[in-house]
Amino acid sequence: EIQKTTGNTSLGVPSNALLTLSQGGTLNELSQIGLGYTTANTSAAAIAYITTSATANTNGAITFATRSVTTDTAPSERMRIDSAGNVGIGTTSPTTLLQLFSTGTTTISIDSNSATKGGCLEIKNANGVGYTYMTVQTGVATFSTISCK
């Protein structure tokens, strides 16, 4: 455990060194870094590796967890990058490159503070050649092959 009392805290690890947190490789076992205010064994947030396959040299996922209360409660997983590179927000088992899940309305916000440019969605064409761009102006979506970047 490393605690900051005053000033800066350092591990004194030389550059290009590897700091390893490791467990025995048992299925669903966590190697984690706790962040924020800690009481007993509970941190307010954590970044962790979870073993999802205990076969041979194992594989797993990186998880990010936070808590939404101020009580001494373990943080809940909010985001996961699995061993295939899929990212899940709100799900522990993403099946696509990016998967968002919510028990309520799932909202994606694309915003801009520019007076002349708004949000732009760039989508690669199905044939793998070129892109289609989607913009929205006053509730009307426009699709174009002209870049909106």
Side-chain angles (χ1 to χ4, degrees):
E1 181 175 348
I2 300 169
Q3 292 186 346
K4 179 181 177 184
T5 53
T6 60
N8 295 325
T9 302
S10 160
L11 290 175
V13 178
S15 65
N16 298 321
L18 176 65
L19 175 64
T20 302
L21 301 176
S22 181
Q23 295 285 354
T26 304
L27 192 63
N28 293 321
E29 193 168 53
L30 289 172
S31 297
Q32 60 187 333
I33 300 170
L35 304 166
Y37 180 76
T38 302
T39 60
N41 292 318
T42 305
S43 295
I47 300 171
Y49 169 84
I50 184 169
T51 303
T52 57
S53 172
T55 304
N57 292 318
T58 76
N59 71 19
I62 300 295
T63 65
F64 299 83
T66 62
R67 66 176 177 219
S68 59
V69 295
T70 57
T71 58
D72 187 18
T73 304
S76 298
E77 183 176 324
R78 308 297 182 181
M79 185 172 84
R80 175 179 290 224
I81 304 171
D82 72 10
S83 60
N86 294 331
V87 176
I89 299 175
T91 178
T92 60
S93 53
T95 57
T96 58
L97 190 57
L98 176 62
Q99 184 173 353
L100 308 176
F101 178 81
S102 173
T103 56
T105 301
T106 301
T107 302
I108 298 173
S109 178
I110 300 174
D111 204 347
S112 171
N113 65 356
S114 170
T116 59
K117 296 224 180 225
C120 172
L121 185 61
E122 178 183 73
I123 306 166
K124 187 151 194 168
N125 295 330
N127 64 2
V129 178
Y131 293 88
T132 297
Y133 301 90
M134 183 183 102
T135 57
V136 178
Q137 181 70 35
T138 320
V140 177
T142 303
F143 294 90
S144 174
T145 56
I146 299 170
S147 176
C148 54
K149 292 181 184 180

